[in-house]
Amino acid sequence: MAISQLSATEKAAATTLYLMPVPTKITHSAGEFRLHADFQIQVTGAPDERIYPAATRMLRRLSGRTGLFFPQDFITAADNAKNADLKINCKRPGKVELGENETYVLTITPEHINLNAETDIGALRGLETLLQLLSADANGYYFPCVTIEDEPRFAWRGLLIDVGRHFMPVHVIKRNLDGMAAVKMNVLHWHLTEDQGFRVESKIYPKLHQLGSDGFYYTQEHIRGVIKYAADRGIRVVPEFDVPGHATSWLVGYPKLGSKPGPYEIIRKWGIQYAALDPTNENVYAFLDQFFGEMAALFPDPYFHIGGDEVEQGKHHKAEHWNANPGIQAFMKKNNIADNAALQAWFNSKLVKILTKHQKIMIGWEEILHESMPRSIVIQSWRGAEAMVSAARAGFQSILSRGYYIDLIQPTDFHYLNDPLPPDISLNAEQKNLILGGEATMWSELVTPENIDSRIWPRTAAIAERLWSPQHVKDVDDMYRRLQSVSMQLEELGLTHEKNYEMMLRRLAGSANIHALRTFVDLVEPVKRYKRHSLNKNLTSFAPMTRVVDTARPDAQVARIFRKNVSAYLNAGNKTIAERLQADLKLWNENHDELSMIIERSPVLAEIEPMSKTLTQCAEIGLQSLSALRDKRTLDKNSIANAKRVLAQAKKPVAEVELMVVSGIEDLLEAAGK
Amino acid sequence: MAISQLSATEKAAATTLYLMPVPTKITHSAGEFRLHADFQIQVTGAPDERIYPAATRMLRRLSGRTGLFFPQDFITAADNAKNADLKINCKRPGKVELGENETYVLTITPEHINLNAETDIGALRGLETLLQLLSADANGYYFPCVTIEDEPRFAWRGLLIDVGRHFMPVHVIKRNLDGMAAVKMNVLHWHLTEDQGFRVESKIYPKLHQLGSDGFYYTQEHIRGVIKYAADRGIRVVPEFDVPGHATSWLVGYPKLGSKPGPYEIIRKWGIQYAALDPTNENVYAFLDQFFGEMAALFPDPYFHIGGDEVEQGKHHKAEHWNANPGIQAFMKKNNIADNAALQAWFNSKLVKILTKHQKIMIGWEEILHESMPRSIVIQSWRGAEAMVSAARAGFQSILSRGYYIDLIQPTDFHYLNDPLPPDISLNAEQKNLILGGEATMWSELVTPENIDSRIWPRTAAIAERLWSPQHVKDVDDMYRRLQSVSMQLEELGLTHEKNYEMMLRRLAGSANIHALRTFVDLVEPVKRYKRHSLNKNLTSFAPMTRVVDTARPDAQVARIFRKNVSAYLNAGNKTIAERLQADLKLWNENHDELSMIIERSPVLAEIEPMSKTLTQCAEIGLQSLSALRDKRTLDKNSIANAKRVLAQAKKPVAEVELMVVSGIEDLLEAAGK
């Protein structure tokens, strides 16, 4: 078949292989480089030292995937095999900083592989591309012959991990840094303080971590270890110390900094709290000067995130601490501060001075955007599309997180198609340059170290592609095709998004026999956005995160493929697809009996029993519709009306999960009624 | 059925429930304590602080298994709910030291649960028992009413983890400490130095870790963190610094301590090396005095392991460093030192003085046993049964590791029935008291952080039972029944012995479709003892540990159950078992086609293709034998002879794995020939 006869997705597949992010430019040529057991790597040029362990890790991953026993142990500058198979050349040492050159050129011929980059950080990106190119046939492993010229579209490609609400041990952070590096992300935004926990050791103010963390915090050695680990992968670490709101855990040890008299206790529930630092108290600034000075020395990146979100800007409420504090109210009157937003801007302008003194650039959530602020700061957009546009027009740099809230369990394509700089954005070229990139945000109300990876991966790989690849790369089907392969490759880095699924199912079933349970959970997703909090008032920082809702994964693949098959069948009536649909529906229709037996032994599963019964009914409707469609019969009006009622009911969440095949079955029913 | 009519295993099951280790005394009574969402815990008495986080962790695990939202967050001494459901009382703070009281009494009535212990460490053991008692029926979760009085048979119940050969990050150690605590083990023997790596930061001699570790070492803060984590679980940490042999990595930074002129390089291959400290060099003792002093302060346990194994005691070889060093030879002559064993004793006697000065008790491998040594030292037996007996007769304390070498991939029952104090041991009571317990040893030539758990667990749980439970607890079938349940519970602690199996299979298959591959790998085990090293000369510290042999698990359950079913069928001719055998054999007989398709896409699997074909043939023989047995036909001599040849061939290892169903099929064939 000629390329011109292929569908858009097939064309993409032929050129994008299994690469994610898709490179800027890829030129295919004939032949392949066959991988052999004597494969050797040589590094030349003037790279930073980080290239040697990075090349060694790449070689070990290649060895792990292929089972080949390569002769090199630790690659060093002394390795200069005359005929090295992979030659890496870097012109100069890369700096782990915003805007560093990350370009690379990868050339694969049947004889050699050359990876050329301005910096070792570019070379790191190229090594990940090379690993993704590994292919196999009956004769062995090979790399297809290509030339790839690659560079990122945006300089800031981040992942926020919130360790305040649920603490994440160092090894969880490290495995996610490995995942980020695999898809060429370059910023870990480490959200370190929250109402629920203060997670960094302070030697100057030790009561911060001693009283504010329940004992779950990082020592400064841990922090330095993570920064080194990230820098070895070309990833910046931007810490966030959220002030003046979200600060309860600071006040447990230092109540006098607050806007209300103490004592304060660590918060266990979720939602916006009223506790806030007192912006009228000079001791607060002296404290922050000292503390930020300590942290400025600990975190080398010039950018320093001060949060600034969700302080009292909305409708006034007497219980809010600023509004209820007569001293603060008097201060505002005296200084002509019109409202709380202006009060926060007053606070932030003092923070800018402190940070500037410590050689840091302030970054904060969009609430810090205020006409009075200096243009050196960076705005992180999270609520509305307009924030970035108005920030850019006002001359502020910004990054996008709205639409990348991966904690809200939305499907991959929703995030994938969310562009920081959509073609229709009404900004001039100069203003567009102020948009630095974006960040996926992993807020941790509803995740533990056990299931956090399943919320981050693989969806974040698609966000990474949005931030790296050219704007025109947006074929959703092709993205899903590649995502499946990337997801499995991420497992070699220790990420648990795949393997903890069955582990959690085994615990739920109390048995290794999880077949029927898996069939069911494959079809459900947690409810979206903030709905879990309204459905379940018992969700706290110590609530169990081990139920079906915590096990079920975002963008459930089996359900998604079913919906896609329905739509393909209704479009083209393909017989193979009909058979696949029939088999799926039959399996689901008959699943309940076996699942009931599991539920009977596992009371933790009792909550999903109604939905399991519903699945039986929905599948029955699907089978009847399918049968009518194949026989070109029309279902009678009564049964259609009944079925519609059942399906409408089936869309309602049960046990905080949704059944994700109902809309597909509705489509079948709809078609069978015509 | 009355208890008297039950088989031995059924009787055991009725009384041992799913407990592992089986407690000393268990009294069953009617009824159960029904678990409810308001379940609360109260701690009284005078425990160490460690009980509060331990009780909290227990509550969270209970919540995780049941999905119940309990009201308590962090349990503290202030929690004094009048009607707490679980009351824990400890008379005094426990000390994490050899011989500390670990007894507890657990009483469950329909209204309350009481856990009484002399120390909080005993209470920790009781909390694990309570978690293992969790049961469920259609009405919910409950604990059966029992009274358990429990105490360990041996005071020293250890697991050795070798981090010298393959480094294991802190989180790998911590999850294994959790596993140990779950089965009541109380010593982590941390083998920290090897020819392949020196894994501890020394501030006095920094070239030890800087030049001896490839960058893979624990900082002193890491070490303190692990010791604290272990102590919180009532587990001692005994460090091992192996001298004078196994010391190449020391000599990379400090070559002058060696018995040969340097330079030395970190060893990448396996097997005994010749490098050894020079026992005639006074600087060696000055060095060890300083270094052991530093480590003595870092590791609080009074016991300090100096290794002492595999120095030049065997047949002399000119390449051995002691024998080849004229200075050492002259020294021995001058001091009337008869042989190398005596030279090592000379060395050790100086070490005893150094350790005594630093308030440490020496422990070492059985080679340190020498008439001239003081009776304060402890001997660790690893080679022969006689070492412990002769040590005890000579008045030395000892622990057993021979028979607990879990790196050698032997079946669980082999380790389980290996008793440190078998009934027929010829020692008097006083001598018997010198036998302190035992240790499973996880040597790490052939494991990485990815598969180490699968070599440790679940088999080590059976060793833990041997060391804790009364001697008479030795029903192998009942052990296996309970082991399966314990193995799944261990997963909640983050252990990867179950979940990395399928992950590794997915990587091998390059796909999520692993059905046929799993069917095959379920039936194979790595070759036993040291055979892999003779079959594969490429095994080094950087070799891939991702092949089928590294994925396959010891004591393969599917194969074991098949063999057991064969034997049950041949004994009793049960029809249901025959059907099960038939189904197994049919599945295996037909597996090759599907597996071939996977192999074709995954060259890393090509090495197992011959064995997959062999499985087809073996299963065919099994099916024919089974059919003959059912029809009461006798197979003809020719086909029996042919089949025997096939089966004999099928026993040979391929790709370092063995097919573990051949002996069962042989038994079927044998019976069908009669």
Side-chain angles (χ1 to χ4, degrees):
Chain A
M1 204 184 279
I3 280 265
S4 61
Q5 290 172 288
L6 300 175
S7 74
T9 301
E10 286 166 336
K11 266 185 217 165
T15 52
T16 59
L17 303 165
Y18 287 92
L19 295 169
M20 181 169 278
V22 165
T24 309
K25 190 177 171 197
I26 176 162
T27 313
H28 295 265
S29 46
E32 67 251 346
F33 176 95
R34 307 297 306 188
L35 189 61
H36 50 84
D38 291 325
F39 183 80
Q40 286 197 61
I41 300 179
Q42 186 192 5
V43 180
T44 57
D48 181 271
E49 286 290 314
R50 75 170 65 82
I51 193 67
Y52 302 109
T56 305
R57 287 194 303 275
M58 181 274 186
L59 189 62
R60 293 284 88 79
R61 284 162 72 193
L62 199 57
S63 169
R65 291 186 195 178
T66 61
L68 292 170
F69 291 76
F70 300 127
Q72 281 177 306
D73 48 11
F74 288 85
I75 295 167
T76 70
D79 291 34
N80 56 0
K82 244 187 186 164
N83 272 307
D85 303 277
L86 166 58
K87 291 192 183 186
I88 304 169
N89 184 276
C90 311
K91 288 190 187 152
R92 63 169 175 85
K95 285 184 190 158
V96 184
E97 60 182 32
L98 181 64
E100 177 55 294
N101 189 314
E102 297 175 274
T103 63
Y104 67 91
V105 178
L106 178 66
T107 315
I108 303 176
T109 69
E111 293 77 31
H112 284 104
I113 304 173
N114 283 295
L115 175 58
N116 291 300
E118 170 80 14
T119 72
D120 44 271
I121 297 176
L124 259 55
R125 309 297 175 236
L127 286 174
E128 297 293 345
T129 301
L130 182 58
L131 273 170
Q132 289 184 347
L133 286 170
L134 180 69
S135 308
D137 59 23
N139 298 321
Y141 293 96
Y142 67 90
F143 296 107
C145 288
V146 290
T147 299
I148 288 176
E149 296 164 69
D150 206 4
E151 64 177 335
R153 180 171 168 222
F154 293 104
W156 191 303
R157 306 179 307 279
L159 169 65
L160 174 149
I161 301 182
D162 168 12
V163 297
R165 292 179 172 89
H166 272 105
F167 182 67
M168 298 293 152
V170 166
H171 72 277
V172 176
I173 303 299
K174 286 187 176 173
R175 73 189 182 211
N176 277 288
L177 283 166
D178 280 311
M180 291 169 67
V183 293
K184 304 184 172 52
M185 295 184 101
N186 66 359
V187 183
L188 170 67
H189 174 162
W190 209 355
H191 184 83
L192 288 161
T193 66
E194 258 307 333
D195 296 303
Q196 291 82 7
F198 191 99
R199 306 303 183 190
V200 182
E201 176 192 27
S202 169
K203 293 183 196 287
I204 301 181
Y205 296 111
K207 282 191 280 185
L208 285 171
H209 66 276
Q210 285 168 2
L211 300 183
S213 75
D214 299 305
F216 295 103
Y217 64 90
Y218 306 107
T219 66
Q220 297 201 356
E221 183 179 304
H222 288 154
I223 300 276
R224 278 188 292 269
V226 168
I227 291 168
K228 168 76 164 59
Y229 197 89
D232 280 349
R233 285 147 183 83
I235 297 174
R236 301 161 48 212
V237 176
V238 174
E240 177 179 353
F241 298 94
D242 203 348
V243 287
H246 288 272
T248 311
S249 65
W250 306 52
L251 302 174
V252 180
Y254 299 94
K256 292 193 173 159
L257 304 177
S259 304
K260 249 197 170 174
Y264 290 84
E265 282 189 354
I266 295 174
I267 303 296
R268 307 286 177 207
K269 58 186 183 182
W270 309 127
I272 302 173
Q273 304 299 313
Y274 297 133
L277 302 187
D278 179 355
T280 71
N281 179 352
E282 279 305 316
N283 292 333
V284 166
Y285 301 103
F287 182 99
L288 290 177
D289 185 14
Q290 288 284 306
F291 174 68
F292 283 176
E294 184 185 14
M295 293 300 118
L298 185 60
F299 291 92
D301 200 85
Y303 290 83
F304 196 96
H305 205 297
I306 55 84
D309 55 318
E310 300 184 319
V311 201
E312 306 168 20
Q313 293 196 354
K315 208 167 56 151
H316 285 202
H317 188 297
K318 277 210 178 154
E320 293 180 346
H321 295 194
W322 283 1
N323 295 328
N325 182 323
I328 293 177
Q329 295 307 313
F331 179 91
M332 288 170 73
K333 205 162 184 183
K334 183 178 149 201
N335 291 281
N336 285 321
I337 298 172
D339 55 18
N340 287 345
L343 182 62
Q344 193 183 349
W346 167 288
F347 174 81
N348 285 338
S349 63
K350 300 196 68 148
L351 251 50
V352 169
K353 290 198 192 87
I354 291 172
L355 290 176
T356 305
K357 176 180 144 191
H358 296 297
Q359 277 112 54
K360 295 293 178 185
I361 303 165
M362 184 194 282
I363 167 167
W365 299 101
E366 64 188 59
E367 288 96 324
I368 73 162
L369 179 60
H370 194 274
E371 192 46 43
S372 69
M373 297 300 290
R375 270 35 182 182
S376 58
I377 68 169
V378 177
I379 307 296
Q380 183 161 14
S381 146
W382 71 282
R383 289 187 304 196
E386 71 287 356
M388 283 187 87
V389 174
S390 40
R393 290 203 181 125
F396 292 97
Q397 293 189 311
S398 65
I399 58 174
L400 180 66
S401 278
R402 189 189 62 86
Y404 299 139
Y405 266 44
I406 51 178
D407 60 315
L408 303 184
I409 317 288
Q410 287 161 309
T412 313
D413 55 352
F414 169 82
H415 300 303
Y416 184 61
L417 297 175
N418 179 48
D419 196 322
L421 260 181
D424 60 352
I425 200 166
S426 60
L427 293 176
N428 64 32
E430 200 184 332
Q431 288 163 343
K432 282 181 183 172
N433 278 336
L434 294 170
I435 292 175
L436 303 175
E439 281 185 1
T441 55
M442 184 66 249
W443 301 107
S444 66
E445 284 92 343
L446 301 176
V447 290
T448 65
E450 197 168 82
N451 72 347
I452 186 170
D453 296 359
S454 75
R455 276 59 182 142
I456 300 177
W457 306 106
R459 290 180 302 154
T460 295
I463 297 175
E465 173 158 296
R466 176 56 46 232
L467 298 172
W468 176 283
S469 301
Q471 188 167 46
H472 64 79
V473 176
K474 52 183 182 189
D475 181 324
V476 166
D477 287 339
D478 189 55
M479 175 276 288
Y480 276 122
R481 179 186 64 82
R482 291 174 289 120
L483 191 67
Q484 200 175 346
S485 150
V486 166
S487 185
M488 244 174 40
Q489 286 168 9
L490 288 167
E491 285 200 272
E492 81 190 356
L493 304 168
L495 288 165
T496 63
H497 56 298
E498 292 285 353
K499 65 191 179 187
N500 276 8
Y501 182 56
E502 296 211 335
M503 183 274 276
M504 293 176 81
L505 292 175
R506 283 191 288 271
R507 181 175 45 209
L508 284 168
S511 153
N513 178 11
I514 54 171
H515 182 263
L517 181 59
R518 189 188 168 133
T519 299
F520 175 81
V521 184
D522 273 353
L523 305 182
V524 304
E525 291 176 12
V527 293
K528 312 295 173 290
R529 300 191 58 81
Y530 299 99
K531 207 167 186 179
R532 278 189 74 183
H533 300 288
S534 58
L535 292 173
N536 185 344
K537 296 297 178 194
N538 283 321
L539 295 171
T540 63
S541 58
F542 56 91
M545 294 285 151
T546 54
R547 294 154 60 223
V548 167
V549 60
D550 307 299
T551 307
R553 295 177 295 186
D555 208 351
Q557 180 172 269
V558 177
R560 173 163 41 76
I561 291 174
F562 172 76
R563 296 192 304 266
K564 197 168 135 60
N565 283 341
V566 166
S567 137
Y569 173 67
L570 295 179
N571 280 334
N574 180 303
K575 200 182 155 193
T576 318
I577 295 181
E579 279 162 10
R580 172 69 197 273
L581 292 174
Q582 168 86 15
D584 282 349
L585 290 163
K586 188 160 178 292
L587 176 70
W588 305 339
N589 187 230
E590 292 168 359
N591 193 59
H592 184 68
D593 282 353
E594 195 184 329
L595 184 51
S596 293
M597 286 190 292
I598 296 177
I599 294 173
E600 216 161 277
R601 293 187 312 262
S602 277
V604 63
L605 292 173
E607 61 179 3
I608 52 110
E609 187 164 36
M611 190 175 269
S612 171
K613 282 182 188 158
T614 300
L615 176 62
T616 307
Q617 294 177 297
C618 293
E620 182 64 38
I621 294 169
L623 286 169
Q624 284 167 3
S625 307
L626 197 61
S627 154
L629 285 164
R630 278 187 305 194
D631 303 349
K632 303 194 196 291
R633 280 186 289 113
T634 307
L635 288 180
D636 71 89
K637 279 192 180 166
N638 257 348
S639 39
I640 289 179
N642 282 335
K644 277 190 175 167
R645 266 194 298 279
V646 170
L647 294 180
Q649 188 65 24
K651 283 187 167 173
K652 292 190 180 159
V654 168
E656 299 154 54
V657 298
E658 299 181 274
L659 194 50
M660 300 307 293
V661 292
V662 183
S663 69
I665 294 171
E666 270 183 341
D667 292 347
L668 286 176
L669 178 69
E670 182 80 12
K674 279 182 188 157
Chain B
M1 203 185 284
I3 280 264
S4 60
Q5 288 171 291
L6 301 173
S7 74
T9 300
E10 286 165 337
K11 266 185 219 168
T15 53
T16 59
L17 304 164
Y18 287 92
L19 295 169
M20 182 170 276
V22 165
T24 308
K25 192 177 168 195
I26 175 162
T27 313
H28 297 265
S29 46
E32 66 250 348
F33 176 96
R34 307 296 309 188
L35 190 61
H36 50 83
D38 292 324
F39 183 79
Q40 286 198 58
I41 300 179
Q42 187 192 5
V43 180
T44 57
D48 182 272
E49 286 290 314
R50 76 170 64 84
I51 193 68
Y52 301 109
T56 304
R57 287 195 303 274
M58 181 272 184
L59 190 62
R60 294 284 88 80
R61 283 162 72 194
L62 199 57
S63 170
R65 291 187 196 177
T66 61
L68 292 170
F69 291 76
F70 300 127
Q72 280 177 308
D73 49 8
F74 288 83
I75 295 167
T76 70
D79 290 35
N80 56 359
K82 244 188 187 163
N83 274 307
D85 303 276
L86 166 59
K87 291 191 184 186
I88 304 169
N89 184 276
C90 312
K91 288 191 190 155
R92 63 171 175 84
K95 287 184 188 156
V96 183
E97 60 182 33
L98 181 64
E100 177 55 295
N101 188 315
E102 297 176 273
T103 62
Y104 68 91
V105 178
L106 177 66
T107 313
I108 304 177
T109 69
E111 293 78 31
H112 285 104
I113 304 172
N114 283 295
L115 175 58
N116 291 299
E118 171 78 14
T119 72
D120 44 86
I121 297 176
L124 259 56
R125 309 297 176 237
L127 286 173
E128 296 293 346
T129 301
L130 182 59
L131 272 170
Q132 290 184 346
L133 286 170
L134 181 69
S135 308
D137 58 24
N139 298 320
Y141 292 96
Y142 66 90
F143 296 106
C145 289
V146 291
T147 300
I148 288 176
E149 296 164 68
D150 205 4
E151 63 177 337
R153 180 172 167 221
F154 292 104
W156 191 304
R157 306 179 306 280
L159 169 64
L160 174 149
I161 301 182
D162 168 13
V163 297
R165 292 179 173 89
H166 273 104
F167 182 67
M168 299 293 152
V170 166
H171 72 279
V172 176
I173 303 298
K174 285 187 174 173
R175 72 190 183 212
N176 277 288
L177 284 166
D178 280 312
M180 291 170 67
V183 293
K184 303 182 172 53
M185 296 185 102
N186 65 359
V187 184
L188 169 67
H189 174 161
W190 209 356
H191 184 82
L192 288 162
T193 66
E194 257 308 334
D195 295 304
Q196 291 81 7
F198 191 98
R199 306 302 183 191
V200 182
E201 175 192 28
S202 170
K203 294 184 196 287
I204 301 181
Y205 296 111
K207 283 190 281 185
L208 284 172
H209 67 276
Q210 285 169 1
L211 300 184
S213 76
D214 299 304
F216 295 102
Y217 64 89
Y218 306 107
T219 66
Q220 296 201 357
E221 184 179 301
H222 288 154
I223 300 276
R224 278 188 292 269
V226 168
I227 292 168
K228 168 78 164 60
Y229 197 89
D232 280 350
R233 286 146 183 83
I235 296 174
R236 299 162 48 213
V237 176
V238 174
E240 178 178 349
F241 298 95
D242 203 347
V243 287
H246 288 273
T248 311
S249 65
W250 306 52
L251 302 174
V252 180
Y254 300 93
K256 291 194 174 160
L257 304 177
S259 304
K260 250 199 169 172
Y264 290 84
E265 282 189 357
I266 294 175
I267 303 295
R268 306 285 176 209
K269 59 187 181 182
W270 309 126
I272 302 174
Q273 304 300 315
Y274 298 134
L277 303 187
D278 179 354
T280 71
N281 178 352
E282 280 305 315
N283 293 334
V284 166
Y285 301 102
F287 182 99
L288 290 177
D289 185 14
Q290 289 282 307
F291 174 68
F292 283 176
E294 184 185 15
M295 294 299 117
L298 184 60
F299 291 91
D301 201 85
Y303 290 82
F304 197 97
H305 204 297
I306 55 86
D309 54 320
E310 301 184 320
V311 201
E312 305 167 21
Q313 292 196 358
K315 209 169 55 153
H316 284 200
H317 189 296
K318 278 212 177 154
E320 293 179 345
H321 296 192
W322 282 2
N323 295 329
N325 181 322
I328 293 175
Q329 295 306 313
F331 179 90
M332 288 171 71
K333 205 162 184 180
K334 183 178 152 204
N335 291 282
N336 284 321
I337 297 171
D339 54 19
N340 287 345
L343 182 61
Q344 194 183 348
W346 167 289
F347 174 81
N348 286 338
S349 63
K350 300 195 69 150
L351 252 51
V352 169
K353 290 197 193 87
I354 291 172
L355 290 176
T356 305
K357 175 180 145 191
H358 296 297
Q359 276 114 54
K360 296 291 178 186
I361 303 164
M362 183 195 282
I363 167 167
W365 299 101
E366 63 188 59
E367 288 96 324
I368 72 162
L369 179 61
H370 195 273
E371 193 45 41
S372 67
M373 297 301 287
R375 268 39 181 180
S376 57
I377 69 169
V378 178
I379 307 296
Q380 182 160 15
S381 146
W382 71 280
R383 290 187 303 196
E386 71 288 353
M388 282 188 89
V389 173
S390 39
R393 289 207 182 124
F396 291 98
Q397 293 189 310
S398 66
I399 59 174
L400 180 66
S401 278
R402 189 189 61 85
Y404 299 138
Y405 266 46
I406 50 179
D407 60 316
L408 303 185
I409 317 287
Q410 287 161 309
T412 314
D413 55 352
F414 170 82
H415 300 302
Y416 184 61
L417 297 175
N418 179 49
D419 196 321
L421 260 181
D424 60 351
I425 200 166
S426 60
L427 294 176
N428 64 33
E430 202 184 332
Q431 289 164 342
K432 283 181 181 171
N433 279 337
L434 294 170
I435 292 175
L436 303 175
E439 282 185 359
T441 55
M442 185 65 247
W443 301 108
S444 66
E445 283 92 342
L446 301 175
V447 290
T448 65
E450 197 168 83
N451 72 348
I452 187 171
D453 295 0
S454 75
R455 276 56 183 144
I456 300 177
W457 306 105
R459 289 180 302 155
T460 295
I463 297 175
E465 173 158 295
R466 176 57 46 234
L467 298 171
W468 175 283
S469 301
Q471 187 169 47
H472 64 79
V473 176
K474 53 183 182 188
D475 181 323
V476 166
D477 287 338
D478 189 56
M479 175 276 287
Y480 276 121
R481 179 186 64 83
R482 291 174 289 121
L483 191 68
Q484 201 176 346
S485 151
V486 166
S487 185
M488 245 175 39
Q489 287 168 11
L490 287 167
E491 287 199 89
E492 81 191 356
L493 304 168
L495 289 165
T496 62
H497 56 297
E498 293 284 352
K499 65 191 180 188
N500 277 9
Y501 182 56
E502 296 209 337
M503 183 274 276
M504 293 175 81
L505 292 175
R506 283 192 287 271
R507 181 175 46 208
L508 285 167
S511 152
N513 177 11
I514 55 172
H515 182 262
L517 180 60
R518 189 188 169 131
T519 299
F520 175 80
V521 185
D522 273 352
L523 306 182
V524 305
E525 292 177 13
V527 292
K528 311 295 174 291
R529 300 190 58 81
Y530 299 99
K531 207 167 186 177
R532 278 190 73 183
H533 299 289
S534 59
L535 293 173
N536 185 343
K537 295 298 178 194
N538 283 322
L539 295 171
T540 62
S541 58
F542 56 91
M545 294 285 152
T546 54
R547 295 154 60 223
V548 166
V549 60
D550 306 298
T551 307
R553 296 178 295 187
D555 208 351
Q557 182 173 266
V558 177
R560 173 164 41 75
I561 291 173
F562 172 76
R563 296 192 305 265
K564 198 168 133 61
N565 283 341
V566 166
S567 137
Y569 173 67
L570 294 180
N571 279 334
N574 179 304
K575 201 181 155 191
T576 319
I577 295 181
E579 280 161 9
R580 173 68 197 274
L581 292 174
Q582 168 87 15
D584 283 349
L585 290 164
K586 188 161 178 292
L587 176 72
W588 305 339
N589 187 231
E590 293 168 357
N591 194 59
H592 183 69
D593 282 354
E594 195 185 329
L595 184 51
S596 293
M597 285 190 292
I598 297 178
I599 294 173
E600 216 162 276
R601 293 187 311 263
S602 277
V604 63
L605 292 174
E607 62 180 1
I608 52 111
E609 186 163 36
M611 190 176 269
S612 172
K613 283 183 188 158
T614 300
L615 176 61
T616 307
Q617 295 177 296
C618 292
E620 183 64 38
I621 294 169
L623 287 168
Q624 285 167 4
S625 306
L626 198 60
S627 154
L629 284 165
R630 278 188 305 195
D631 304 349
K632 303 193 196 288
R633 281 186 287 112
T634 307
L635 289 178
D636 72 90
K637 281 193 177 165
N638 256 349
S639 39
I640 290 179
N642 282 335
K644 277 191 175 167
R645 266 193 298 278
V646 170
L647 295 180
Q649 189 66 23
K651 283 188 166 173
K652 292 190 182 159
V654 168
E656 299 153 54
V657 298
E658 298 181 274
L659 193 50
M660 300 307 293
V661 292
V662 182
S663 70
I665 294 170
E666 269 183 340
D667 292 346
L668 286 175
L669 178 69
E670 182 81 11
K674 278 181 189 159

